Amino acid sequence: MTTTSHIHWFVVQNKPNAFRLAQKNLERQGFSTFLPMIDSTKRNGSRFIQSVKPLFPGYFFVGFDPETAPWRKVNNTVGVARLVTFANKPSPVAQALIDGIMARSDQDGKLMPPPTLKAGDEVEITSGPFAEFVATIEKIDAEKRVWLLLDFLGQKTRALVTSDQLALTA
């Protein structure tokens, strides 16, 4: 997950449910990989199931120097569907985008919540029973617990969550 000046990052499309296999096989061949992950909550009947899933389902990043690396080997790697190319050449992703995602990720590539939440911010709840609800931050207490105001069935309702369950809305 570290970058150097000569490494450029490219997009790889993985085969269905094979992102870990593709990542492992690319790393075994000497390529750098970056698979940003995010917490997810899904409702299954009356239960909520927590999991970690790729930020960009079906895709991840591979890093190499296009001038010296045998980049055509990427397409022949087990778990990889294809290296995304334009005019039969790999096109690098903007370094600022990769740096921004890496800066917000922990060592394992898991996306961390934005560090600067404040009262009045509009946020989306990313996990827990209110997953996918949009709310307004009412206050943040000393233990970094976040009190939200949810518009729930036409009434404002208060809810208590932790900051790692939130994402700022655009």
Side-chain angles (χ1 to χ4, degrees), residues 59-81:
Y59 298 90
F60 65 96
F61 302 103
V62 62
F64 56 86
D65 181 348
E67 301 299 319
T68 60
W71 60 267
R72 293 186 190 275
K73 290 173 76 176
V74 172
N75 285 334
N76 297 322
T77 301
V78 175
V80 170

Side-chain angles (χ1 to χ4, degrees), residues 29-47:
Q29 294 177 62
F31 292 101
S32 298
T33 63
F34 177 49
L35 176 61
M37 304 290 281
I38 191 164
D39 284 325
S40 173
T41 301
K42 287 201 177 196
R43 174 175 262 189
N44 185 2
S46 63
R47 295 183 11 202

Side-chain angles (χ1 to χ4, degrees), residues 70-110:
W71 60 267
R72 293 186 190 275
K73 290 173 76 176
V74 172
N75 285 334
N76 297 322
T77 301
V78 175
V80 170
R82 66 187 181 98
L83 178 65
V84 177
T85 60
F86 298 96
N88 292 324
K89 288 186 68 179
S91 181
V93 176
Q95 190 63 43
L97 174 68
I98 298 295
D99 291 343
I101 296 172
M102 285 183 170
R104 289 226 12 236
S105 300
D106 66 10
Q107 279 181 274
D108 300 322
K110 185 175 161 189

Side-chain angles (χ1 to χ4, degrees), residues 1-23:
M1 206 168 88
T2 58
T3 62
T4 59
S5 59
H6 63 282
I7 289 182
H8 298 279
W9 290 95
F10 303 87
V11 178
V12 169
Q13 182 179 18
N14 55 270
K15 292 183 179 174
N17 299 316
F19 57 90
R20 292 281 185 213
L21 179 65
Q23 184 182 29

